Every structure is written in structure tokens, then in C-alpha cells.
Amino acid sequence: TAVCHDITHKLGNAAYAMFAARTDFHIPEKSTYCSFGFYHGFMETLVNSGSDISSASAFCTYVDKQLSRDTPIAVFLCYHGIGHGLTDLHNKSEWGDERAMTRPALAMCKKISSNPKQLLLCGTGVFDAISIAYYTNAYGMVMKKDDPLWLCREQPDEFKEPCYRDLMSAILWLGGSTLAGAAPYVEKFVLNPYGGVAIRSVAANSVRFTIHGGTMKPDISSCRILGRSLHIPCIEGLALGVTQFGTLGLEYKGGLDFCFSSVVSSHERESCVKSVLSYSSERYSHEKFVEICGLAGGIYGDSCVLQ
């Protein structure tokens, strides 16, 4: 959680020094844990050091070579870290100005990304940094409660999705850290066709606030009162959150247990399981993913050939 993220953040700071000194080092699979603090810390240190931004994408290549087999998602989390680091690099004259902070960062994302997914993840890092600044009162940022997603509305199409996706942690904060409180903001302020993306993100992030005594109690009732276009994406988000915040190394188990539990209806189950499998296809090795598909009962064939 927050402490774990801070610790891995510091490890990322130290890793940059080794990378800059051209010292080979092992990047463990666990570098993806704790909300990816390792990558946030590495990229923030790199960018603030004044190094050429090309070294950021070079590091992501370094990550990919070491982790692509067992943790395919790692390289994309690295690009998320780049976006995060780029946004946290600014002078005091830009504080409180979302446009001044995001535009140069997004332009740099376009420069260093070689495919759409890299660009998407770099963009999510940019807006994640803004989102965090809103609810931590950093950099003089104040979220406009009467129009909290104006920044997303004015983005070019290529950055609307990452904006709506990663400003949702601030929307969750605005809604009192509950899915029930945040969902109305999605319904009111998110433009079509990004409602599904937004509610998945809100629902996934809400799960960490429903963990009590090690047990997760996702707010499935708040999904069911949403309109048809948001109901199932919301369930998918809960499944993703239960998986992401599950026991380290066994994240998929919590996700599947939730999907096959009695609280999930037969109408919701297929989308729920597919959400867990989609995440698992990038989180684990191909061999592990095949095993997870077996645990899903072998009835989700299309989802089991995602890799």
C-alpha cells in the first residue's frame, strides 16, 4: 500500500544510479509490486537528473529483456513510469497549471513511444501524476469539483483514454473513496465512449478501500444500479481490483474466487472472469497463464489465447 509504494519508489531511485553508471543489475519480477513504485521512482530520478529522455526508453528495453517472459506487462509499466516522471519535472512557475504540466510531458511521450500501447501507458503516467497531486494537495493543484474532468475533455483523442482512466483515482477521492460516491461523477462528467474505461478504473481502485482484516468486500451493489453501458464494465473493474490487490504471486486466485462466488450473478460471471484472464495474460508467464485458464474451467476459450 502507501508504505510499500514509498519503499519501492526509493529502490527505483537507487536503481537509476546504477543504470546511469552502466552497472548491470537484476530487475526482479517483484519490481511490479506496490502500485509500480519502483518505476515511478526510477523515472522521476532519471528525468530530474537532466539525462537525455532516450535513456528512459533504453531502460524500458532493459526491463523488457529481463522480464518479458515472466512479466510481460513490466515494459508497459516502465512507460507509465516515464509519463509519471516527466510530469513531476517542472518549476514552481507551473504549479497549479495542469496544462503547463501535462503538455510538455505528453509531447515527450509521443517522442519516445514506438507503438500505441507505449503511448497509452506513458499517457496514463502523466495523468496519474496530476491525479495524485489533486488528492495530496501537491504542486498547488486544486480539483474543480463542479467540472473535475475538464482536462480530459480538452485532450486530443489519443490522450482522452489515458486521462479518463488515470484521473479516476482523484474522482474516487472526490467521492469519499467509495464506488457509490464516485460513480455519479463518471455518469455526469465522462464523455462517450469513455464511460466504460472510467468506471472500470474507479471500480478497480475502490477495492483497496474495501479491504478489512485481509478480506475484500467489493461494492457490487453500486455497479448494479448503473445504466446498462456501465454495469458490466463496473463488474470488470471490481474483478481487476480484487486481482491487482490480491495476495502477492496469487493475485489471479482472488480474482477468480470473486468471479465464481455467489455474489456474482451468472449474467455477470463471464465478463468478470474475462477481466481476470485479460490482466493475467500480461501479468504472468505464458505457462502460468495456461494454468490460470485451467482454473477458470476451460470455458473461456477466446480469453485463453490472448497471448
Side-chain angles (χ1 to χ4, degrees):
T1 65
V3 173
C4 184
H5 182 84
D6 288 345
I7 292 172
T8 54
H9 205 283
K10 290 180 172 61
L11 292 175
N13 299 151
Y16 169 73
M18 298 175 68
F19 184 74
R22 301 181 183 277
T23 302
D24 284 333
F25 59 97
H26 171 63
I27 301 174
E29 180 188 355
K30 293 179 181 179
S31 63
T32 61
Y33 290 178
C34 307
S35 299
F36 323 121
F38 175 83
Y39 295 99
H40 289 183
F42 184 97
M43 288 303 169
E44 286 175 18
T45 307
L46 182 155
V47 173
N48 282 287
S49 73
S51 297
D52 190 288
I53 192 62
S54 63
S55 60
S57 53
F59 177 68
C60 291
T61 299
Y62 187 73
V63 168
D64 194 38
K65 287 180 178 178
Q66 291 199 35
L67 296 180
S68 60
R69 182 186 178 281
D70 293 326
T71 315
I73 200 174
V75 64
F76 297 114
L77 300 178
C78 185
Y79 277 89
H80 172 89
I82 291 178
H84 205 285
L86 287 169
T87 312
D88 283 335
L89 176 66
H90 52 273
N91 57 52
K92 288 187 177 181
S93 68
E94 298 170 342
W95 284 14
D97 187 338
E98 291 92 329
R99 294 186 183 98
M101 292 175 65
T102 58
R103 283 178 177 170
L106 293 172
M108 197 62 71
C109 282
K110 293 179 71 171
K111 183 177 180 180
I112 57 92
S113 300
S114 59
N115 63 58
K117 190 157 187 180
Q118 290 175 358
L119 183 62
L120 171 70
L121 269 294
C122 187
T124 63
V126 172
F127 295 110
D128 186 33
I130 296 297
S131 193
I132 292 171
Y134 279 147
Y135 61 77
T136 60
N137 299 313
Y139 311 126
M141 283 294 185
V142 178
M143 197 172 201
K144 297 178 181 178
K145 295 183 179 180
D146 60 341
D147 190 12
L149 297 173
W150 65 269
L151 183 63
C152 299
R153 194 168 58 246
E154 70 174 31
Q155 294 304 313
D157 288 347
E158 62 193 338
F159 289 123
K160 277 189 168 66
E161 179 176 341
C163 185
Y164 281 120
R165 190 162 129 182
D166 270 64
L167 278 194
M168 288 303 109
S169 57
I171 291 294
L172 186 61
W173 162 76
L174 203 57
S177 299
T178 67
L179 179 55
Y185 288 99
V186 174
E187 294 180 299
K188 183 176 181 179
F189 293 107
V190 176
L191 294 177
N192 287 327
Y194 302 100
V197 167
I199 199 67
R200 281 188 198 94
S201 180
V202 166
N205 279 289
S206 74
V207 171
R208 61 195 174 103
F209 295 102
T210 66
I211 302 173
H212 303 290
T215 301
M216 298 184 191
K217 296 182 179 179
D219 182 13
I220 199 166
S221 62
S222 290
C223 291
R224 289 173 175 157
I225 63 175
L226 297 173
R228 291 180 62 184
S229 65
L230 298 182
H231 171 198
I232 293 301
C234 184
I235 297 294
E236 293 168 349
L238 291 181
L240 177 60
V242 171
T243 305
Q244 288 180 324
F245 298 111
T247 302
L248 297 180
L250 294 172
E251 297 90 347
Y252 62 89
K253 185 179 184 303
L256 291 177
D257 286 348
F258 167 67
C259 293
F260 285 109
S261 70
S262 60
V263 301
V264 176
S265 71
S266 57
H267 169 64
E268 298 162 334
R269 184 159 294 120
E270 181 176 354
S271 295
C272 183
V273 173
K274 285 185 175 181
S275 181
V276 175
L277 294 179
S278 179
Y279 175 77
S280 299
S281 72
E282 295 186 328
R283 174 65 183 81
Y284 304 102
S285 69
H286 179 71
E287 293 78 9
K288 187 65 178 179
F289 177 63
V290 170
E291 177 188 332
I292 295 167
C293 281
L295 295 175
I299 58 176
Y300 300 96
D302 290 345
S303 298
C304 286
V305 292
L306 291 172
Q307 283 194 323

